[in-house]
Amino acid sequence: MINSKYDLIITNIAESGFNAYYTKGINMKLSDGVTVIDIYKPGMCPYNKEEVYKDAIIRVSGNSKNVFTYSDMKKMNQAIEEAIDFLNKENENIIDREKESTYEHMKAPQLERKKTSAIKFQDLEIGGVYLDEKNKKWIFLGQGTLMENGVQQNCSNSGLDYAEYMYMEYEEEKLEIINTNEFKSEYFPHPGTYASKKRFFEKYCQLPVNLKAPIILNCGSAKFICMHGVKPKSYYDQMAYDANGKTI
């Protein structure tokens, strides 16, 4: 299981097919792997960098697969209602179902203190999820090769056939654990160099990885393989190892 900073994760909330990710005092996020629904308490939904919505807000996002039957919509509504009940148990910033809400926004009551000290690059752990200066989450992957439809996509500025540093955007509900060291994600890794390496200020969580074996990420038509510092000669050389690090 992934070590998470969510205060609680509820599987299949209200038998809706949605998993719920609860952050105390702020929101509950619902996700079925395609649709994401954020239910924010009053004054907690960001409007921009310095402002928030005054009332409770529900945000829905997804992709072209967002197609629902009437039965689906009823289940979705049940999940939202249960999430509201759960948030209202805190007895602070209650979501009032009877109130005529607006999209009015206001200055955020407490702006998060800006982090000034970055984590040393040598202290980053492969498989670790870190926050950048904008609080965006990234998985640090170390060294590896990204293949898309059999064609290598990443390279370092030195012209070598691998990138020294690889990162990937992270959302817990969009990362599926397939097997030991094998994951599925909607995001694609980003190559970097020492000169352009990202700066991280806080560790968010750690993915369950075995550093003695390659990490395999399936990203649509692309497959990323992290070799943990090994400089592979080719994609096929990487495929000579299974998820447990044994020669095939």
Side-chain angles (χ1 to χ4, degrees):
M1 179 179 291
I2 295 175
N3 178 25
S4 171
K5 282 194 175 180
Y6 286 111
D7 293 293
L8 182 67
I9 299 175
I10 303 173
T11 303
N12 196 24
I13 186 171
E15 297 184 354
S16 62
F18 284 85
N19 293 332
Y21 303 85
Y22 167 65
T23 302
K24 185 176 180 180
I26 298 176
N27 74 331
M28 181 169 276
K29 178 180 292 187
L30 308 176
S31 174
D32 64 354
V34 175
T35 304
V36 177
I37 306 170
D38 272 301
I39 301 100
Y40 283 94
K41 301 194 80 174
M44 292 296 153
C45 181
Y47 172 74
N48 58 29
K49 191 175 182 180
E50 297 181 352
E51 296 181 310
V52 294
Y53 286 99
K54 186 175 181 179
D55 292 326
I57 290 291
I58 298 176
R59 279 182 168 170
V60 181
S61 61
N63 56 34
S64 59
K65 295 181 180 179
N66 267 12
V67 179
F68 308 104
T69 64
Y70 177 65
S71 297
D72 292 334
M73 294 301 296
K74 287 199 297 183
K75 290 180 181 179
M76 189 184 302
N77 188 61
Q78 290 169 359
I80 292 172
E81 294 296 340
E82 187 154 326
I84 291 173
D85 287 342
F86 195 95
L87 290 167
N88 280 348
K89 288 179 182 178
E90 296 175 345
N91 293 321
E92 294 181 4
N93 292 347
I94 296 295
I95 298 175
D96 186 351
R97 289 179 170 90
E98 304 300 322
K99 180 182 178 181
E100 187 67 32
S101 301
T102 70
Y103 294 99
E104 182 181 353
H105 42 92
M106 62 183 186
K107 187 174 181 179
Q110 290 184 342
L111 293 178
E112 188 172 344
R113 182 173 58 87
K114 186 175 178 62
K115 305 177 183 70
T116 56
S117 179
I119 299 172
K120 293 181 180 179
F121 189 79
Q122 58 266 31
D123 292 334
L124 297 177
E125 298 179 76
I126 292 174
V129 179
Y130 296 90
L131 301 176
D132 65 13
E133 68 277 4
K134 297 181 180 178
N135 279 334
K136 189 171 183 178
K137 303 181 188 74
W138 297 87
I139 305 172
F140 177 65
L141 294 168
Q143 205 170 62
T145 299
L146 177 65
M147 304 293 295
E148 187 168 4
N149 294 323
V151 179
Q152 186 168 301
Q153 297 297 315
N154 68 290
C155 62
S156 67
N157 285 351
S158 63
L160 300 176
D161 63 351
Y162 60 91
E164 291 286 354
Y165 314 106
M166 296 289 291
Y167 317 88
M168 189 175 77
E169 294 176 59
Y170 173 81
E171 284 188 52
E172 184 165 359
E173 62 275 12
K174 292 186 178 182
L175 187 76
E176 181 181 352
I177 300 175
I178 303 299
N179 208 334
T180 303
N181 273 32
E182 185 171 2
F183 304 88
K184 182 178 180 181
S185 175
E186 296 181 20
Y187 296 113
F188 289 79
H190 297 268
T193 65
Y194 185 84
S196 65
K197 66 183 185 293
K198 292 184 177 297
R199 299 174 74 237
F200 298 116
F201 296 85
E202 182 181 344
K203 187 171 184 180
Y204 179 77
C205 68
Q206 176 69 40
L207 302 184
V209 296
N210 173 14
L211 295 184
K212 295 181 180 179
I215 295 175
I216 300 173
L217 281 163
N218 298 291
C219 316
S221 62
K223 182 186 289 285
F224 170 80
I225 301 180
C226 172
M227 295 299 290
H228 316 308
V230 177
K231 300 177 181 180
K233 294 180 181 178
S234 72
Y235 171 72
Y236 299 101
D237 289 341
Q238 297 177 58
M239 296 303 290
Y241 303 90
D242 63 17
N244 295 313
K246 297 180 180 178
T247 302
I248 298 175

